Amino acid sequence: MKSVFFILFLVLFCSVLIWFFLCHRLFAMLEARYPEKYESMGKPTLIKNNTMSTNITFIKFLLRREWRDLNDAELTKLSRFMLVFWIIYLVGFLTLFSAVVSGMLL
């Protein structure tokens, strides 16, 4: 069971790195192509302006599918992928967390 925990942990860790890359791409795209939208989201970044407020605004952007209003095929493709990726990551994280809390993986 410890090997399952290690594999799940490693997959989730790698997923975080992928998520950071995807966020960087999306933020750069919004800043360059849609500065008004980017500014209305609080100018989110990975490090400098990474606040609870900008994170919530960003997740709302994905969940409400606000990218559709911008009519940009590349932005839509990236945003859709990120939404699915985020949901899968969240399910994986909650599964790992519940397994550890319940003692299944220890």
Side-chain angles (χ1 to χ4, degrees), residues 56-69 83:
I56 289 170
T57 304
F58 173 60
I59 294 301
K60 284 181 184 178
F61 173 81
L62 290 178
L63 292 175
R64 292 178 179 167
R65 293 164 178 82
E66 294 177 14
W67 68 81
R68 288 190 271 179
D69 298 335
L83 178 59

Side-chain angles (χ1 to χ4, degrees), residues 2-75:
K2 287 186 180 185
S3 63
V4 172
F5 172 81
F6 178 73
I7 290 169
L8 283 173
F9 180 80
L10 189 60
V11 167
L12 290 174
F13 181 78
C14 290
S15 296
V16 168
L17 299 177
I18 293 167
W19 180 254
F20 286 162
F21 171 74
L22 294 171
C23 285
H24 175 73
R25 279 192 60 204
L26 185 70
F27 295 157
M29 194 179 295
L30 285 170
E31 185 178 22
R33 297 180 189 176
Y34 306 99
E36 320 82 37
K37 183 65 181 173
Y38 181 71
E39 195 166 320
S40 75
M41 293 173 65
K43 297 182 178 182
T45 63
L46 289 176
I47 298 171
K48 275 184 170 180
N49 193 19
N50 188 357
T51 65
M52 184 66 83
S53 175
T54 57
N55 284 315
I56 289 170
T57 304
F58 173 60
I59 294 301
K60 284 181 184 178
F61 173 81
L62 290 178
L63 292 175
R64 292 178 179 167
R65 293 164 178 82
E66 294 177 14
W67 68 81
R68 288 190 271 179
D69 298 335
L70 302 173
N71 295 320
D72 184 322
E74 188 179 1
L75 180 67

